[in-house]
Amino acid sequence: MSDLLTVTSIGEAPADFVRGAGSVVAEFAHLTQDSGNVSWLVDVGDRRLFVKTAGPDTPPPPGAAVPYFDHAGRVEVLRNAVVVARSCDHPALPRLLNVIESPGGPALVYEAADGELVGVRAAERPDPTSSYQRFAHLPSERLLGVFDVLVDLHTALAAVGWVAVDLYDGCLIVDHGTGSLKVVDLDGYRRGPSRNEMGRMFGSTRFMAPEEFELGAVIDERTTVFTLGRLVWHFATRLTESRSDFCGPAALAEVVQQAVQPSPEDRYAGVAPFAAAWRSARGR
């Protein structure tokens, strides 16, 4: 069995250990990752793993994306990701297989997710061959089926107290042929209601709730409801944001439009009632 799955502590840099533990298929470096994290896809025998670390404790080189956190902050959110993964067993979450402690923080070893990341850089979104465009133009039932799973996952997460933060299309890995979904990078999720202590919180403005821009505002399940609704509306209207292009029934469009009301008081009170209305409109 691979050391990546059995070793729980190392005395060297995670990068050196990972490169010696298998065949690196891809590296996602802090030069391109907005978070400042460094991750790898690694083949170990007939198994593919995804390993995520906090990256180096050094200033980013010129030209690097600006990290959300300093190194200590990145370590903290990775430890939060471990809590998220261990608190909820859902088929849409890639399994966390191991946590390896190192001088540079934990290395999280996940099963690799099959499929393509829906989110792409802004310049690539108009490209009809991009995963973003192909996802938005899946057959209606397959597209809505992906969102069935996303809503179900967040019902399970909310049941154990999690509120979505920084959930966007870059968290969705979809097999366009089967419609299977994996949701990744939930590191910033918060346990229970909290206050917006930042002003403009982390996330994509395309999917963020108004309270995620308001210092001191309450961040709770109604925030999750908004983001879920925005993801559905954006893609189920085939990127037009027009109700006339919504690919589901009128009853479902009404459910989603209530979810994305600007005032939290006008949305569903939580993920469970939103999910119940979603299932009813879907005839499930």
Side-chain angles (χ1 to χ4, degrees):
M1 184 178 292
S2 167
D3 288 346
L4 286 172
L5 299 176
T6 57
V7 171
T8 58
S9 179
I10 57 176
E12 61 188 305
D16 296 335
F17 181 76
V18 169
R19 293 185 184 113
S23 176
V24 174
V25 177
E27 178 174 338
F28 308 96
H30 61 303
L31 285 168
T32 57
Q33 303 303 295
D34 289 341
S35 64
N37 293 328
V38 178
S39 304
W40 299 267
L41 278 174
V42 186
D43 280 348
V44 178
D46 60 355
R47 192 169 194 176
R48 180 160 292 183
L49 306 175
F50 179 77
V51 185
K52 187 173 187 177
T53 74
D57 187 7
T58 57
V66 177
Y68 282 166
F69 300 108
D70 61 14
H71 186 264
R74 297 197 298 272
V75 168
E76 182 179 351
V77 295
L78 284 183
R79 296 201 186 283
N80 188 63
V82 174
V83 180
V84 173
R86 289 175 174 170
S87 70
C88 182
D89 182 16
H90 191 280
L93 290 179
R95 289 176 56 214
L96 178 64
L97 303 172
N98 195 18
V99 178
I100 304 171
E101 295 294 340
S102 82
L108 279 53
V109 183
Y110 293 92
E111 62 180 1
D114 293 328
E116 297 178 70
L117 202 63
V118 170
V120 299
R121 295 190 179 277
E124 300 171 21
R125 290 177 198 148
D127 182 352
T129 67
S130 68
S131 177
Y132 174 81
Q133 288 282 345
R134 288 185 290 115
F135 177 67
H137 293 91
L138 284 174
S140 297
E141 189 56 32
R142 183 168 296 170
L143 180 62
L144 293 176
V146 171
F147 288 117
D148 287 339
V149 177
L150 187 67
V151 170
D152 186 69
L153 167 63
H154 282 83
T155 305
L157 287 165
V160 290
W162 292 106
V163 172
V165 174
D166 199 11
L167 172 65
Y168 70 118
D169 53 1
C171 298
L172 311 182
I173 297 179
V174 175
D175 183 320
H176 294 168
T178 65
S180 67
L181 170 71
K182 295 291 184 182
V183 184
V184 299
D185 291 343
L186 308 189
D187 310 11
Y189 277 38
R190 298 184 178 192
R191 205 80 178 259
S194 62
R195 293 279 178 180
N196 177 349
E197 74 286 356
M198 299 175 62
R200 200 279 192 202
M201 295 177 65
F202 301 138
S204 168
T205 55
R206 294 168 295 153
F207 308 110
M208 292 167 67
E211 60 268 25
E212 294 181 275
F213 297 89
E214 182 184 346
L215 187 65
V218 174
I219 307 298
D220 60 13
E221 284 190 37
R222 296 170 298 178
T223 309
T224 305
V225 167
F226 184 97
T227 300
L228 291 171
R230 278 294 305 140
L231 280 162
V232 174
W233 194 257
H234 185 67
F235 288 103
T237 60
R238 311 304 194 182
L239 310 178
T240 70
E241 307 285 351
S242 172
R243 181 163 180 160
S244 63
D245 293 320
F246 188 79
C247 70
L252 188 62
E254 291 172 7
V255 168
V256 178
Q257 289 202 316
Q258 182 175 341
V260 298
Q261 290 299 303
S263 173
E265 290 75 18
D266 294 332
R267 303 173 203 154
Y268 295 93
V271 177
F274 168 63
W278 172 274
R279 289 192 296 269
S280 177
R282 290 276 287 143
R284 301 291 169 94

